[in-house]
Amino acid sequence: MKPRTISVNFTLNIMGPVLPLLTALLTVPLYIAHIGAARYGILAVVWILLGYSGLLDFGLSRASAIALSRLGQAGPAQRVPVLVTALYLNAAFGLTGGLLLYGAASLLLGQFASIPADLEAEVRAALPCIAAMLPVALVSGVASGAIESRERFLLANVLQTASGVIGQAAPVLCAILIGPSLPVVLTAALATRVISTVVGWVFVRRLERPIDLRRFDPGCVRELLGFGAWVSVSSVVSPVMESFDQMLIAAILGPAAVAHYSVPMNLATRSQLMAGALARALFPRLSRLQPDDARWLASRAVVTLAFCYGAACGPAVLLAGPFLRLWVGEDFAAQATWAAQILLIGAWANGIAFIPSGLLQGQGRPDVTAKLHMMEVLPFLLGSYGLMAAAGVQGAAVAWTLRTWADCLLLLRLARCWSPYMVRAVPAVGLMAASWLLARAVPLSLPWVLGFASVIGLLFALLGLALDPTLRAAAGNAMACATGIGRPRWRRPQAAQPNG
């Protein structure tokens, strides 16, 4: 099958998460209404613990995806040993990690979540489900990497969409119909993950057939673990930096305060679907291209993403307050709005960082990202503690945002895709700053908020079209497809071009 263009793959990747995102918007108020803020806060901590435990993947999902991407459309003789070896290793690590998590989860939850006495029995009853999610997630990661390595993004997104929608809807439906307890919610979540993993591997078997499960290759183990070792460092460090603030809030302020922070944080990170879609579409190409070509492609993608993602993120900063009031109520919004506005500024920079991070990993340099994250840990932890002590939830949001901006700038520099061409993204930075200043400094009624948000979005679009040739070409292609006038020209990456 001929690979689709990056533009088509990006479109597929951005459509895939939309339905799960809409489902989340509908289900979060239902979760809070039916299970309460305390149980929802405990669920948030459970997802954090599972993220920490994901370090037992040792970077194998990413390492196998890169190895399979480099093999491209090679036959089973080359691809199956990599796939089977990664499957067995991840299954073994997942089972081991699940057992460790089962033994430690009760202690960790009690330490970090200040569990109310009336919920302790529910937490203990849900521990087997929490532990079982880890091996399921690691095995699923290998299947997703195999599908995307062949650039089958339509299939990957159909599976992701179905899994995301059912995974969010089924637990809350069970809470409503059966009972609002943690064992009910987490059992439903585990069941949906198992089903989606089995379905994913059914399709992998069709794509990679014939798959011989006896093709475990000890030679691949060293290669996968050698690459994955540095990825696993980031797998250890990144969850600490991404969720330490929530752990700290839970320990000091309690589970309800975690909900006031985790809801806007989830909104901010889910807004990164555009950045994630582009990074996923680029990754197989960045893994196969020569270094100069890969850097050229990545630098252009950064500028395009700065304007496209900004056109969503900038208006969202202004609309965060009215949206939260409408979505989860006046009282909840009063505690969460400021954090949401700050986190959206950080989410924009973090989304940009997906591109240089993917470039470094695709070109076989995951050590650069890992070392950078190791250097960031201590300043971030100290900053989070100090700012949260001074300003509570809002201080934690400031610390996270400062870290994401520093991380983005350093990754761009280290990936060597920082060039004079990148100056074209500067107006996007100015518009993000203007969005936040308007949201914080000027008390606006809802009509004025809608008006200013529309102006900010329009300015992002117009400046992007004026300054970014890639965005102009994409807009022209979209117009040609929509109107039938002209012929779309989807350009592939060419040789490295001069800066400017």
Side-chain angles (χ1 to χ4, degrees):
M1 178 179 176
K2 184 179 179 180
R4 296 183 176 93
T5 64
I6 292 174
S7 299
V8 173
N9 287 336
F10 167 71
T11 303
L12 293 173
N13 288 342
I14 205 162
M15 291 171 62
V18 168
L19 194 54
L21 176 60
L22 295 176
T23 305
L25 294 177
L26 293 173
T27 56
V28 168
L30 293 175
Y31 274 112
I32 294 174
H34 287 276
I35 69 175
R39 285 191 179 91
Y40 187 80
I42 292 173
L43 283 178
V45 175
V46 168
W47 305 138
I48 292 171
L49 289 177
L50 288 171
Y52 284 147
S53 301
L55 62 91
L56 292 171
D57 172 83
F58 291 104
L60 288 173
S61 295
R62 192 66 159 174
S64 61
I66 291 173
L68 292 170
S69 294
R70 289 176 174 171
L71 290 171
Q73 302 301 314
Q78 291 78 36
R79 293 177 62 88
V80 168
V82 175
L83 181 63
V84 170
T85 303
L87 169 62
Y88 283 145
L89 289 175
N90 263 23
F93 291 145
L95 289 171
T96 303
L99 292 174
L100 293 174
L101 182 61
Y102 179 78
S106 180
L107 175 63
L108 291 172
L109 285 168
Q111 179 70 28
F112 291 114
S114 302
I115 300 174
D118 58 331
L119 296 181
E120 289 181 357
E122 290 187 25
V123 172
R124 286 194 297 271
L127 288 181
C129 292
I130 297 172
M133 287 185 192
L134 180 58
V136 174
L138 297 192
V139 169
S140 178
V142 178
S144 299
I147 293 171
E148 293 189 7
S149 72
R150 287 190 176 273
E151 300 192 32
R152 299 295 295 271
F153 290 103
L154 176 59
L155 173 60
N157 281 286
V158 169
L159 295 175
Q160 175 187 334
T161 299
S163 175
V165 170
I166 298 172
Q168 293 176 73
V172 74
L173 285 175
C174 289
I176 295 171
L177 298 175
I178 300 175
S181 69
L182 291 173
V184 170
V185 171
L186 289 169
T187 298
L190 173 62
T192 59
R193 291 189 178 203
V194 170
I195 293 170
S196 65
T197 300
V198 171
V199 172
W201 274 99
V202 168
F203 282 99
V204 170
R205 183 175 178 275
R206 294 184 61 185
L207 289 173
E208 305 290 347
R209 59 187 176 191
I211 294 181
D212 185 350
L213 294 178
R214 298 170 297 179
R215 296 290 302 278
F216 180 87
D217 185 356
C220 287
V221 174
R222 182 181 181 87
E223 180 180 351
L224 291 173
L225 288 178
F227 181 94
W230 284 113
V231 177
S232 67
V233 171
S234 291
S235 298
V236 174
V237 175
S238 292
V240 171
M241 293 192 293
E242 291 173 1
S243 55
F244 173 81
D245 42 15
Q246 296 183 55
M247 290 291 195
L248 194 59
I249 291 169
I252 297 175
L253 304 177
V258 178
H260 295 143
Y261 184 80
S262 65
V263 168
M265 173 63 84
N266 286 337
L267 285 175
T269 54
R270 286 180 184 276
S271 76
Q272 295 173 336
L273 63 89
M274 182 181 296
L278 183 57
R280 286 173 62 196
L282 289 172
F283 186 72
R285 307 288 175 93
L286 295 177
S287 300
R288 291 197 294 269
L289 288 173
Q290 293 300 310
D292 287 343
D293 295 343
R295 284 193 293 270
W296 175 81
L297 179 61
S299 65
R300 269 60 182 175
V302 165
V303 175
T304 301
L305 183 60
F307 287 103
C308 289
Y309 185 28
C313 228
V317 173
L318 289 161
L319 294 169
F323 173 76
L324 285 171
R325 287 193 292 272
L326 180 64
W327 184 40
V328 289
E330 188 74 35
D331 293 339
F332 196 99
Q335 302 293 327
T337 295
W338 193 3
Q341 292 168 341
I342 298 169
L343 291 170
L344 283 165
I345 300 294
W348 182 78
N350 197 44
I352 301 297
F354 289 178
I355 305 300
S357 178
L359 172 62
L360 288 166
Q361 291 194 359
Q363 292 293 307
R365 292 302 310 273
D367 59 303
V368 175
T369 305
K371 291 172 183 175
L372 175 60
H373 286 165
M374 291 169 64
M375 292 172 58
E376 293 173 356
V377 172
L378 186 59
F380 174 66
L381 298 186
L382 293 175
S384 293
Y385 183 83
L387 287 169
M388 201 199 84
V393 169
Q394 291 79 15
V398 170
W400 185 83
T401 294
L402 290 175
R403 184 198 70 80
T404 59
W405 274 80
D407 186 68
C408 177
L409 294 173
L410 289 169
L411 280 172
L412 287 170
R413 185 67 178 176
L414 293 171
R416 296 174 60 194
C417 59
W418 191 282
S419 69
Y421 186 85
M422 299 280 293
V423 175
R424 302 180 186 215
V426 171
V429 178
L431 285 174
M432 288 301 301
S435 299
W436 189 83
L437 290 173
L438 278 172
R440 297 308 310 167
V442 183
L444 300 173
S445 61
L446 181 58
W448 281 101
V449 168
L450 293 173
F452 275 109
S454 300
V455 170
I456 290 290
L458 184 61
L459 286 174
F460 267 109
L462 293 177
L463 285 172
L465 290 171
L467 296 172
D468 182 20
T470 304
L471 191 55
R472 284 200 301 274
N477 289 330
M479 182 67 70
C481 288
T483 63
I485 301 174
R487 177 178 295 179
R489 296 181 180 180
W490 305 103
R491 296 190 302 172
R492 293 180 179 274
Q494 301 172 1
Q497 302 295 317
N499 292 330

